[in-house]
């Protein structure tokens, strides 16, 4: 799978998790948040391995326990901007 797949998947799962957190109790939203965190980590790992990051937050520089979801949002915005400008 390529970067666009991992980026779009992570962004979608992040949005689902955000909606779950806003709608349901924490214990109900927890699986969606965990899934979004896993997908964000996969994107960060892909970008670190392939040097494909676009924004100021760099992958795998965060200390353990920090979320990569802001990284996903940054990268998705950069990707979306690049694809709407053309």
């Amino acid at each position: 799978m390529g970067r666009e797949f991992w980026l779009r998947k992570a962004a979608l799962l992040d949005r689902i998790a955000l909606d779950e957190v806003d709608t349901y109790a924490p214990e109900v939203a927890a699986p969606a948040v965990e899934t979004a965190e896993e997908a964000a980590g996969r994107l960060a790992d892909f970008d670190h391995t392939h040097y494909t990051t676009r924004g100021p937050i760099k992958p795998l520089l965060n200390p353990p326990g920090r979320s990569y979801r802001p990284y996903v949002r940054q990268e998705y915005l950069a990707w979306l901007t690049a694809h709407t400008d053309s």
Side-chain angles (χ1 to χ4, degrees), residues 4 7 9 11 20 22 27 29 32-33 37 39-41 45 50 65-67 71 79 81-82:
E4 184 176 338
L7 174 62
K9 181 176 182 171
E20 294 272 320
D22 284 345
E27 62 274 4
V33 171
E37 293 289 353
D45 185 52
H50 296 93
R66 270 188 83 184
S67 176
Y71 175 76
W79 176 83
T81 301

Side-chain angles (χ1 to χ4, degrees), residues 22-37:
D22 284 345
T23 306
Y24 302 107
E27 62 274 4
V28 176
V33 171
E34 184 178 321
T35 300
E37 293 289 353

